[in-house]
Amino acid sequence: DQQVKQNSPSLSVQEGRISILNCDYTNSMFDYFLWYKKYPAEGPTFLISISSIKDKNEDGRFTVFLNKSAKHLSLHIVPSQPGDSAVYFCAASYTNAGKSTFGDGTTLTVKP
Amino acid sequence: KAGVTQTPRYLIKTRGQQVTLSCSPISGHRSVSWYQQTPGQGLQFLFEYFSETQRNKGNFPGRFSGRQFSNSRSEMNVSTLELGDSALYLCASSKKTGANTEAFFGQGTRLTVV
């Protein structure tokens, strides 16, 4: 039972446009969500997070939106840059879970 | 501040052998988690150690084991290697245990079982 799903394995956008990466979860206990970015031959790096008490968190070009009723979150990147090309992982956790549960990742390609 | 260091970066082993991977967390971080990533798959949680104690364990067979030392460095061992164990093994450290906190990942150890 996959509790965190990223249904789009890949996404391609033009430089300067908006990238929207989606993530769905099934476990109602999740109350903390994170996005990580991974370049080839490197480990994932933390990008942005959001607590379930919020519905939006913004950090520069990156904004994460959380819709608890739909059990859905999304990462918006505006404007997209070629350097944003990477695999993006969504992760979810809850207090006392002891771990984050990751989705399978979405490969973002930003074309110049 | 040094990041998470994993050694070795690459490893080739034969079926049936055993392997030990090492992870040095960021200074001051007491939690170390291990993940397995296979092609097309997300990060599958193996286990987490905090203050030398295993706090959480994923759904992996007993062939996968780990430990943490007093300096927070951690090792992961896989015995009786199978072809399906070929994967990228990632270690992540964080200041506090487990959940609701960002993790800092190492570059991973690419294990190939032939």
Side-chain angles (χ1 to χ4, degrees):
Chain A
D1 174 32
Q2 192 167 13
Q3 298 186 48
V4 178
K5 294 181 183 179
Q6 294 178 255
N7 292 316
S8 298
S10 62
L11 175 67
S12 181
V13 300
Q14 208 66 36
E15 181 179 7
R17 307 294 291 268
I18 184 172
S19 294
I20 300 177
L21 296 99
N22 295 304
C23 179
D24 297 298
Y25 61 95
T26 58
N27 191 336
S28 302
M29 294 181 67
F30 287 143
D31 59 9
Y32 195 77
F33 305 89
L34 311 95
W35 285 93
Y36 289 85
K37 179 170 71 174
K38 184 181 185 300
Y39 292 119
E42 294 184 13
T45 55
F46 170 75
L47 201 53
I48 192 169
S49 63
I50 187 168
S51 165
S52 61
I53 62 174
K54 294 184 175 182
D55 54 19
K56 176 183 173 182
N57 189 24
E58 194 171 352
D59 184 2
R61 296 186 296 115
F62 302 90
T63 302
V64 56
F65 295 92
L66 175 62
N67 183 333
K68 290 185 289 293
S69 60
K71 293 191 178 66
H72 175 84
L73 68 155
S74 61
L75 175 68
H76 292 209
I77 307 174
V78 184
S80 301
Q81 300 173 353
D84 296 329
S85 297
V87 179
Y88 288 79
F89 290 99
C90 166
S93 67
Y94 59 90
T95 307
N96 299 326
K99 65 180 175 104
S100 289
T101 300
F102 284 78
D104 288 346
T106 296
T107 300
L108 173 66
T109 302
V110 180
K111 297 180 179 179
Chain B
K1 192 175 187 180
V4 177
T5 304
Q6 290 188 246
T7 56
R9 289 290 311 278
Y10 302 93
L11 206 49
I12 300 176
K13 288 286 188 178
T14 305
R15 270 184 305 176
Q17 286 187 311
Q18 68 98 25
V19 67
T20 299
L21 311 181
S22 179
C23 172
S24 293
I26 291 173
S27 178
H29 286 194
R30 294 163 63 192
S31 169
V32 174
S33 297
W34 289 88
Y35 292 84
Q36 180 197 65
Q37 184 187 16
T38 50
Q41 296 292 313
L43 281 66
Q44 304 297 316
F45 175 77
L46 282 153
F47 29 66
E48 184 220 1
Y49 286 86
F50 184 84
S51 295
E52 301 179 66
T53 302
Q54 187 180 88
R55 291 295 184 97
N56 294 283
K57 192 175 189 302
N59 296 324
F60 279 80
R63 299 185 297 107
F64 292 81
S65 63
R67 58 178 176 169
Q68 186 180 36
F69 302 94
S70 58
N71 61 358
S72 294
R73 190 178 71 85
S74 177
E75 287 182 347
M76 189 191 89
N77 185 78
V78 188
S79 63
T80 320
L81 283 165
E82 301 176 358
L83 294 179
D85 297 332
S86 295
L88 178 67
Y89 290 88
L90 291 159
C91 163
S93 76
S94 55
K95 287 185 180 179
K96 55 181 183 176
T97 184
N100 295 18
T101 182
E102 65 177 276
F104 295 82
F105 284 84
Q107 290 182 292
T109 294
R110 173 73 63 184
L111 172 65
T112 302
V113 182
V114 297

mmCIF file of all heavy atoms in Angstrom, chain A residues 31-32 34 36 38 41-44 46 89 93-100 102-104, chain B residues 9 35 37 40-45 48 56 88 90 98-103 105-107:
data_model
loop_
_atom_site.group_PDB
_atom_site.id
_atom_site.type_symbol
_atom_site.label_atom_id
_atom_site.label_comp_id
_atom_site.label_asym_id
_atom_site.label_seq_id
_atom_site.Cartn_x
_atom_site.Cartn_y
_atom_site.Cartn_z
ATOM 1 N N ASP A 31 1.057 14.754 9.065
ATOM 2 C CA ASP A 31 0.845 16.159 9.408
ATOM 3 C C ASP A 31 2.038 17.041 9.063
ATOM 4 O O ASP A 31 2.110 18.207 9.453
ATOM 5 C CB ASP A 31 0.478 16.309 10.893
ATOM 6 C CG ASP A 31 1.556 15.768 11.819
ATOM 7 O OD1 ASP A 31 2.660 15.431 11.336
ATOM 8 O OD2 ASP A 31 1.295 15.678 13.032
ATOM 9 N N TYR A 32 2.983 16.458 8.341
ATOM 10 C CA TYR A 32 4.150 17.238 7.954
ATOM 11 C C TYR A 32 4.612 16.716 6.607
ATOM 12 O O TYR A 32 4.719 15.501 6.405
ATOM 13 C CB TYR A 32 5.254 17.073 9.000
ATOM 14 C CG TYR A 32 6.362 18.093 8.907
ATOM 15 C CD1 TYR A 32 6.171 19.389 9.374
ATOM 16 C CD2 TYR A 32 7.598 17.770 8.371
ATOM 17 C CE1 TYR A 32 7.176 20.334 9.310
ATOM 18 C CE2 TYR A 32 8.612 18.707 8.299
ATOM 19 C CZ TYR A 32 8.402 19.985 8.766
ATOM 20 O OH TYR A 32 9.394 20.915 8.702
ATOM 21 N N LEU A 34 7.215 17.295 3.077
ATOM 22 C CA LEU A 34 8.478 17.866 2.628
ATOM 23 C C LEU A 34 8.676 17.576 1.137
ATOM 24 O O LEU A 34 8.158 16.580 0.614
ATOM 25 C CB LEU A 34 9.663 17.248 3.393
ATOM 26 C CG LEU A 34 9.587 17.170 4.919
ATOM 27 C CD1 LEU A 34 9.070 15.823 5.397
ATOM 28 C CD2 LEU A 34 10.970 17.431 5.532
ATOM 29 N N TYR A 36 11.911 17.214 -1.612
ATOM 30 C CA TYR A 36 13.337 17.097 -1.803
ATOM 31 C C TYR A 36 13.629 17.112 -3.291
ATOM 32 O O TYR A 36 12.832 16.651 -4.107
ATOM 33 C CB TYR A 36 13.866 15.783 -1.211
ATOM 34 C CG TYR A 36 13.881 15.717 0.293
ATOM 35 C CD1 TYR A 36 12.741 15.339 1.005
ATOM 36 C CD2 TYR A 36 15.029 16.018 1.018
ATOM 37 C CE1 TYR A 36 12.753 15.264 2.387
ATOM 38 C CE2 TYR A 36 15.050 15.941 2.406
ATOM 39 C CZ TYR A 36 13.909 15.565 3.079
ATOM 40 O OH TYR A 36 13.927 15.499 4.445
ATOM 41 N N LYS A 38 16.608 15.984 -6.170
ATOM 42 C CA LYS A 38 17.758 15.102 -6.323
ATOM 43 C C LYS A 38 18.338 15.218 -7.718
ATOM 44 O O LYS A 38 17.650 14.976 -8.717
ATOM 45 C CB LYS A 38 17.350 13.647 -6.037
ATOM 46 C CG LYS A 38 18.533 12.677 -6.073
ATOM 47 C CD LYS A 38 18.087 11.255 -5.810
ATOM 48 C CE LYS A 38 19.279 10.295 -5.722
ATOM 49 N NZ LYS A 38 20.071 10.254 -6.950
ATOM 50 N N ALA A 41 23.630 11.282 -9.271
ATOM 51 C CA ALA A 41 24.873 11.027 -8.533
ATOM 52 C C ALA A 41 24.984 11.852 -7.247
ATOM 53 O O ALA A 41 26.075 11.975 -6.673
ATOM 54 C CB ALA A 41 26.103 11.274 -9.403
ATOM 55 N N GLU A 42 23.881 12.419 -6.790
ATOM 56 C CA GLU A 42 23.887 13.127 -5.518
ATOM 57 C C GLU A 42 22.737 12.627 -4.659
ATOM 58 O O GLU A 42 21.767 12.062 -5.158
ATOM 59 C CB GLU A 42 23.741 14.633 -5.726
ATOM 60 C CG GLU A 42 24.904 15.276 -6.436
ATOM 61 C CD GLU A 42 24.738 16.792 -6.517
ATOM 62 O OE1 GLU A 42 23.869 17.339 -5.818
ATOM 63 O OE2 GLU A 42 25.500 17.413 -7.281
ATOM 64 N N GLY A 43 22.835 12.854 -3.358
ATOM 65 C CA GLY A 43 21.717 12.529 -2.494
ATOM 66 C C GLY A 43 20.648 13.602 -2.575
ATOM 67 O O GLY A 43 20.904 14.720 -3.041
ATOM 68 N N PRO A 44 19.428 13.297 -2.159
ATOM 69 C CA PRO A 44 18.358 14.304 -2.154
ATOM 70 C C PRO A 44 18.715 15.475 -1.235
ATOM 71 O O PRO A 44 19.376 15.283 -0.214
ATOM 72 C CB PRO A 44 17.149 13.532 -1.606
ATOM 73 C CG PRO A 44 17.479 12.094 -1.819
ATOM 74 C CD PRO A 44 18.959 11.997 -1.685
ATOM 75 N N PHE A 46 16.955 18.830 0.789
ATOM 76 C CA PHE A 46 15.699 19.399 1.255
ATOM 77 C C PHE A 46 15.394 20.695 0.522
ATOM 78 O O PHE A 46 16.273 21.547 0.310
ATOM 79 C CB PHE A 46 15.781 19.650 2.762
ATOM 80 C CG PHE A 46 14.640 20.443 3.311
ATOM 81 C CD1 PHE A 46 13.397 19.861 3.483
ATOM 82 C CD2 PHE A 46 14.805 21.780 3.639
ATOM 83 C CE1 PHE A 46 12.345 20.591 3.987
ATOM 84 C CE2 PHE A 46 13.757 22.516 4.143
ATOM 85 C CZ PHE A 46 12.522 21.921 4.323
ATOM 86 N N PHE A 89 11.133 14.627 -5.025
ATOM 87 C CA PHE A 89 10.451 13.659 -4.173
ATOM 88 C C PHE A 89 9.561 14.385 -3.175
ATOM 89 O O PHE A 89 9.988 15.339 -2.527
ATOM 90 C CB PHE A 89 11.458 12.808 -3.393
ATOM 91 C CG PHE A 89 12.231 11.836 -4.235
ATOM 92 C CD1 PHE A 89 13.513 12.130 -4.663
ATOM 93 C CD2 PHE A 89 11.669 10.624 -4.596
ATOM 94 C CE1 PHE A 89 14.235 11.237 -5.435
ATOM 95 C CE2 PHE A 89 12.382 9.720 -5.372
ATOM 96 C CZ PHE A 89 13.668 10.027 -5.799
ATOM 97 N N SER A 93 5.175 12.718 6.813
ATOM 98 C CA SER A 93 5.453 12.085 8.098
ATOM 99 C C SER A 93 4.442 12.572 9.126
ATOM 100 O O SER A 93 3.619 13.443 8.845
ATOM 101 C CB SER A 93 6.868 12.399 8.570
ATOM 102 O OG SER A 93 6.993 13.784 8.863
ATOM 103 N N TYR A 94 4.486 11.992 10.298
ATOM 104 C CA TYR A 94 3.678 12.471 11.419
ATOM 105 C C TYR A 94 4.451 12.221 12.692
ATOM 106 O O TYR A 94 5.339 11.368 12.743
ATOM 107 C CB TYR A 94 2.309 11.796 11.468
ATOM 108 C CG TYR A 94 2.333 10.287 11.583
ATOM 109 C CD1 TYR A 94 2.344 9.657 12.825
ATOM 110 C CD2 TYR A 94 2.333 9.495 10.442
ATOM 111 C CE1 TYR A 94 2.353 8.282 12.927
ATOM 112 C CE2 TYR A 94 2.347 8.114 10.531
ATOM 113 C CZ TYR A 94 2.351 7.515 11.771
ATOM 114 O OH TYR A 94 2.371 6.154 11.875
ATOM 115 N N THR A 95 4.130 13.002 13.690
ATOM 116 C CA THR A 95 4.804 12.872 14.980
ATOM 117 C C THR A 95 4.691 11.438 15.461
ATOM 118 O O THR A 95 3.639 10.834 15.377
ATOM 119 C CB THR A 95 4.168 13.808 16.009
ATOM 120 O OG1 THR A 95 4.136 15.117 15.472
ATOM 121 C CG2 THR A 95 4.963 13.814 17.300
ATOM 122 N N ASN A 96 5.796 10.888 15.897
ATOM 123 C CA ASN A 96 5.890 9.505 16.369
ATOM 124 C C ASN A 96 5.976 8.482 15.235
ATOM 125 O O ASN A 96 6.062 7.287 15.496
ATOM 126 C CB ASN A 96 4.725 9.121 17.293
ATOM 127 C CG ASN A 96 4.676 9.969 18.544
ATOM 128 O OD1 ASN A 96 5.713 10.366 19.070
ATOM 129 N ND2 ASN A 96 3.495 10.268 19.014
ATOM 130 N N ALA A 97 5.938 8.960 13.980
ATOM 131 C CA ALA A 97 6.109 8.004 12.881
ATOM 132 C C ALA A 97 7.529 7.484 12.848
ATOM 133 O O ALA A 97 7.770 6.344 12.489
ATOM 134 C CB ALA A 97 5.783 8.656 11.542
ATOM 135 N N GLY A 98 8.445 8.359 13.217
ATOM 136 C CA GLY A 98 9.833 7.936 13.234
ATOM 137 C C GLY A 98 10.486 7.911 11.871
ATOM 138 O O GLY A 98 11.650 7.583 11.755
ATOM 139 N N LYS A 99 9.738 8.232 10.833
ATOM 140 C CA LYS A 99 10.334 8.206 9.509
ATOM 141 C C LYS A 99 9.464 9.014 8.571
ATOM 142 O O LYS A 99 8.309 9.301 8.856
ATOM 143 C CB LYS A 99 10.415 6.771 8.986
ATOM 144 C CG LYS A 99 9.045 6.120 8.760
ATOM 145 C CD LYS A 99 9.181 4.715 8.251
ATOM 146 C CE LYS A 99 7.817 4.042 8.156
ATOM 147 N NZ LYS A 99 7.325 3.956 6.778
ATOM 148 N N SER A 100 10.066 9.381 7.452
ATOM 149 C CA SER A 100 9.295 10.002 6.375
ATOM 150 C C SER A 100 9.002 8.947 5.327
ATOM 151 O O SER A 100 9.834 8.088 5.047
ATOM 152 C CB SER A 100 10.093 11.145 5.744
ATOM 153 O OG SER A 100 10.178 12.250 6.609
ATOM 154 N N PHE A 102 8.290 8.369 1.416
ATOM 155 C CA PHE A 102 8.568 9.074 0.181
ATOM 156 C C PHE A 102 7.719 8.546 -0.964
ATOM 157 O O PHE A 102 7.375 7.366 -1.018
ATOM 158 C CB PHE A 102 10.044 8.905 -0.207
ATOM 159 C CG PHE A 102 10.990 9.743 0.600
ATOM 160 C CD1 PHE A 102 11.356 9.378 1.890
ATOM 161 C CD2 PHE A 102 11.526 10.907 0.073
ATOM 162 C CE1 PHE A 102 12.217 10.146 2.640
ATOM 163 C CE2 PHE A 102 12.410 11.681 0.815
ATOM 164 C CZ PHE A 102 12.755 11.299 2.094
ATOM 165 N N GLY A 103 7.431 9.458 -1.902
ATOM 166 C CA GLY A 103 6.846 9.053 -3.168
ATOM 167 C C GLY A 103 7.934 8.560 -4.105
ATOM 168 O O GLY A 103 9.115 8.555 -3.748
ATOM 169 N N ASP A 104 7.532 8.129 -5.299
ATOM 170 C CA ASP A 104 8.480 7.571 -6.250
ATOM 171 C C ASP A 104 9.266 8.628 -7.016
ATOM 172 O O ASP A 104 10.200 8.307 -7.738
ATOM 173 C CB ASP A 104 7.758 6.670 -7.254
ATOM 174 C CG ASP A 104 7.297 5.374 -6.618
ATOM 175 O OD1 ASP A 104 7.756 5.065 -5.490
ATOM 176 O OD2 ASP A 104 6.476 4.660 -7.227
ATOM 177 N N ARG B 9 31.586 4.882 -2.220
ATOM 178 C CA ARG B 9 30.604 5.429 -3.148
ATOM 179 C C ARG B 9 30.061 4.360 -4.083
ATOM 180 O O ARG B 9 28.881 4.389 -4.447
ATOM 181 C CB ARG B 9 31.236 6.546 -3.992
ATOM 182 C CG ARG B 9 31.529 7.822 -3.233
ATOM 183 C CD ARG B 9 30.245 8.569 -2.837
ATOM 184 N NE ARG B 9 29.306 8.731 -3.932
ATOM 185 C CZ ARG B 9 29.377 9.671 -4.855
ATOM 186 N NH1 ARG B 9 30.381 10.529 -4.859
ATOM 187 N NH2 ARG B 9 28.465 9.759 -5.810
ATOM 188 N N TYR B 35 18.005 4.485 3.617
ATOM 189 C CA TYR B 35 16.987 4.279 2.597
ATOM 190 C C TYR B 35 17.598 3.502 1.430
ATOM 191 O O TYR B 35 18.786 3.619 1.139
ATOM 192 C CB TYR B 35 16.450 5.605 2.062
ATOM 193 C CG TYR B 35 15.635 6.400 3.051
ATOM 194 C CD1 TYR B 35 16.230 7.242 3.974
ATOM 195 C CD2 TYR B 35 14.242 6.315 3.050
ATOM 196 C CE1 TYR B 35 15.482 7.982 4.873
ATOM 197 C CE2 TYR B 35 13.482 7.048 3.941
ATOM 198 C CZ TYR B 35 14.106 7.879 4.849
ATOM 199 O OH TYR B 35 13.350 8.604 5.732
ATOM 200 N N GLN B 37 17.104 3.002 -2.692
ATOM 201 C CA GLN B 37 16.446 3.511 -3.892
ATOM 202 C C GLN B 37 16.803 2.619 -5.070
ATOM 203 O O GLN B 37 17.973 2.437 -5.392
ATOM 204 C CB GLN B 37 16.862 4.948 -4.197
ATOM 205 C CG GLN B 37 16.100 5.525 -5.385
ATOM 206 C CD GLN B 37 16.584 6.868 -5.815
ATOM 207 O OE1 GLN B 37 17.669 7.307 -5.464
ATOM 208 N NE2 GLN B 37 15.782 7.555 -6.617
ATOM 209 N N GLY B 40 13.356 3.731 -10.717
ATOM 210 C CA GLY B 40 11.919 3.925 -10.838
ATOM 211 C C GLY B 40 11.172 3.870 -9.527
ATOM 212 O O GLY B 40 9.950 4.025 -9.510
ATOM 213 N N GLN B 41 11.881 3.660 -8.447
ATOM 214 C CA GLN B 41 11.237 3.560 -7.136
ATOM 215 C C GLN B 41 11.607 4.753 -6.267
ATOM 216 O O GLN B 41 12.637 5.368 -6.418
ATOM 217 C CB GLN B 41 11.689 2.280 -6.429
ATOM 218 C CG GLN B 41 11.271 1.017 -7.139
ATOM 219 C CD GLN B 41 9.776 0.809 -7.103
ATOM 220 O OE1 GLN B 41 9.149 0.927 -6.071
ATOM 221 N NE2 GLN B 41 9.202 0.526 -8.260
ATOM 222 N N GLY B 42 10.746 5.027 -5.368
ATOM 223 C CA GLY B 42 11.052 6.065 -4.391
ATOM 224 C C GLY B 42 12.057 5.556 -3.391
ATOM 225 O O GLY B 42 12.657 4.498 -3.571
ATOM 226 N N LEU B 43 12.211 6.302 -2.345
ATOM 227 C CA LEU B 43 13.135 5.902 -1.288
ATOM 228 C C LEU B 43 12.388 4.995 -0.307
ATOM 229 O O LEU B 43 11.410 5.398 0.310
ATOM 230 C CB LEU B 43 13.670 7.135 -0.560
ATOM 231 C CG LEU B 43 14.788 7.906 -1.246
ATOM 232 C CD1 LEU B 43 14.335 8.542 -2.533
ATOM 233 C CD2 LEU B 43 15.356 8.954 -0.302
ATOM 234 N N GLN B 44 12.871 3.785 -0.196
ATOM 235 C CA GLN B 44 12.263 2.832 0.719
ATOM 236 C C GLN B 44 13.031 2.858 2.044
ATOM 237 O O GLN B 44 14.230 2.634 2.071
ATOM 238 C CB GLN B 44 12.298 1.425 0.114
ATOM 239 C CG GLN B 44 11.643 1.324 -1.258
ATOM 240 C CD GLN B 44 10.177 1.636 -1.225
ATOM 241 O OE1 GLN B 44 9.441 1.180 -0.345
ATOM 242 N NE2 GLN B 44 9.717 2.430 -2.176
ATOM 243 N N PHE B 45 12.309 3.098 3.113
ATOM 244 C CA PHE B 45 12.912 3.235 4.434
ATOM 245 C C PHE B 45 13.400 1.891 4.954
ATOM 246 O O PHE B 45 12.657 0.909 4.952
ATOM 247 C CB PHE B 45 11.882 3.832 5.392
ATOM 248 C CG PHE B 45 12.332 3.916 6.818
ATOM 249 C CD1 PHE B 45 13.213 4.901 7.226
ATOM 250 C CD2 PHE B 45 11.856 3.016 7.758
ATOM 251 C CE1 PHE B 45 13.615 4.995 8.550
ATOM 252 C CE2 PHE B 45 12.238 3.096 9.080
ATOM 253 C CZ PHE B 45 13.130 4.088 9.481
ATOM 254 N N GLU B 48 16.068 3.449 11.220
ATOM 255 C CA GLU B 48 16.571 4.684 11.798
ATOM 256 C C GLU B 48 17.213 4.384 13.144
ATOM 257 O O GLU B 48 16.680 3.587 13.927
ATOM 258 C CB GLU B 48 15.457 5.715 12.012
ATOM 259 C CG GLU B 48 16.001 7.055 12.518
ATOM 260 C CD GLU B 48 15.126 7.700 13.569
ATOM 261 O OE1 GLU B 48 14.090 7.127 13.961
ATOM 262 O OE2 GLU B 48 15.483 8.811 14.014
ATOM 263 N N ASN B 56 13.241 2.823 14.540
ATOM 264 C CA ASN B 56 12.218 2.420 13.593
ATOM 265 C C ASN B 56 12.820 1.502 12.553
ATOM 266 O O ASN B 56 14.007 1.580 12.259
ATOM 267 C CB ASN B 56 11.623 3.647 12.887
ATOM 268 C CG ASN B 56 10.869 4.533 13.830
ATOM 269 O OD1 ASN B 56 9.742 4.237 14.213
ATOM 270 N ND2 ASN B 56 11.489 5.627 14.226
ATOM 271 N N LEU B 88 20.808 2.008 -4.926
ATOM 272 C CA LEU B 88 21.514 3.117 -4.299
ATOM 273 C C LEU B 88 21.067 3.159 -2.842
ATOM 274 O O LEU B 88 19.871 3.228 -2.560
ATOM 275 C CB LEU B 88 21.165 4.438 -4.993
ATOM 276 C CG LEU B 88 21.808 5.701 -4.417
ATOM 277 C CD1 LEU B 88 23.320 5.686 -4.644
ATOM 278 C CD2 LEU B 88 21.193 6.953 -5.048
ATOM 279 N N LEU B 90 21.042 5.162 0.551
ATOM 280 C CA LEU B 90 21.206 6.530 1.029
ATOM 281 C C LEU B 90 21.103 6.591 2.538
ATOM 282 O O LEU B 90 20.255 5.947 3.154
ATOM 283 C CB LEU B 90 20.130 7.434 0.421
ATOM 284 C CG LEU B 90 20.268 7.695 -1.087
ATOM 285 C CD1 LEU B 90 18.950 8.135 -1.663
ATOM 286 C CD2 LEU B 90 21.336 8.728 -1.351
ATOM 287 N N GLY B 98 13.594 10.865 13.733
ATOM 288 C CA GLY B 98 12.486 10.532 12.853
ATOM 289 C C GLY B 98 11.748 11.627 12.147
ATOM 290 O O GLY B 98 12.224 12.245 11.194
ATOM 291 N N ALA B 99 10.583 11.848 12.596
ATOM 292 C CA ALA B 99 9.612 12.524 11.752
ATOM 293 C C ALA B 99 9.631 14.038 11.905
ATOM 294 O O ALA B 99 10.258 14.597 12.786
ATOM 295 C CB ALA B 99 8.222 12.010 12.095
ATOM 296 N N ASN B 100 8.925 14.690 11.010
ATOM 297 C CA ASN B 100 8.654 16.121 11.077
ATOM 298 C C ASN B 100 9.912 16.964 11.184
ATOM 299 O O ASN B 100 9.963 17.950 11.898
ATOM 300 C CB ASN B 100 7.711 16.434 12.246
ATOM 301 C CG ASN B 100 6.353 15.821 12.056
ATOM 302 O OD1 ASN B 100 6.168 14.907 11.254
ATOM 303 N ND2 ASN B 100 5.373 16.324 12.771
ATOM 304 N N THR B 101 10.911 16.527 10.469
ATOM 305 C CA THR B 101 12.143 17.303 10.445
ATOM 306 C C THR B 101 12.851 17.023 9.134
ATOM 307 O O THR B 101 12.751 15.934 8.589
ATOM 308 C CB THR B 101 13.038 16.947 11.632
ATOM 309 O OG1 THR B 101 14.201 17.764 11.604
ATOM 310 C CG2 THR B 101 13.493 15.491 11.587
ATOM 311 N N GLU B 102 13.553 18.035 8.638
ATOM 312 C CA GLU B 102 14.250 17.814 7.383
ATOM 313 C C GLU B 102 15.453 16.913 7.618
ATOM 314 O O GLU B 102 16.066 16.923 8.694
ATOM 315 C CB GLU B 102 14.699 19.134 6.768
ATOM 316 C CG GLU B 102 15.737 19.869 7.582
ATOM 317 C CD GLU B 102 16.198 21.142 6.899
ATOM 318 O OE1 GLU B 102 17.090 21.041 6.046
ATOM 319 O OE2 GLU B 102 15.677 22.202 7.250
ATOM 320 N N ALA B 103 15.744 16.128 6.626
ATOM 321 C CA ALA B 103 16.881 15.217 6.694
ATOM 322 C C ALA B 103 17.938 15.661 5.697
ATOM 323 O O ALA B 103 17.631 16.227 4.646
ATOM 324 C CB ALA B 103 16.428 13.791 6.386
ATOM 325 N N PHE B 105 20.899 14.307 3.374
ATOM 326 C CA PHE B 105 21.325 13.052 2.770
ATOM 327 C C PHE B 105 22.775 13.078 2.328
ATOM 328 O O PHE B 105 23.308 14.116 1.927
ATOM 329 C CB PHE B 105 20.457 12.739 1.544
ATOM 330 C CG PHE B 105 19.085 12.241 1.873
ATOM 331 C CD1 PHE B 105 18.064 13.132 2.160
ATOM 332 C CD2 PHE B 105 18.813 10.882 1.895
ATOM 333 C CE1 PHE B 105 16.778 12.680 2.465
ATOM 334 C CE2 PHE B 105 17.539 10.415 2.192
ATOM 335 C CZ PHE B 105 16.523 11.317 2.469
ATOM 336 N N GLY B 106 23.385 11.904 2.378
ATOM 337 C CA GLY B 106 24.682 11.724 1.766
ATOM 338 C C GLY B 106 24.518 11.451 0.279
ATOM 339 O O GLY B 106 23.399 11.413 -0.238
ATOM 340 N N GLN B 107 25.630 11.258 -0.399
ATOM 341 C CA GLN B 107 25.593 11.025 -1.835
ATOM 342 C C GLN B 107 25.203 9.597 -2.176
ATOM 343 O O GLN B 107 24.876 9.295 -3.313
ATOM 344 C CB GLN B 107 26.956 11.340 -2.460
ATOM 345 C CG GLN B 107 27.285 12.822 -2.463
ATOM 346 C CD GLN B 107 28.615 13.102 -3.123
ATOM 347 O OE1 GLN B 107 29.669 12.738 -2.600
ATOM 348 N NE2 GLN B 107 28.588 13.751 -4.274
#
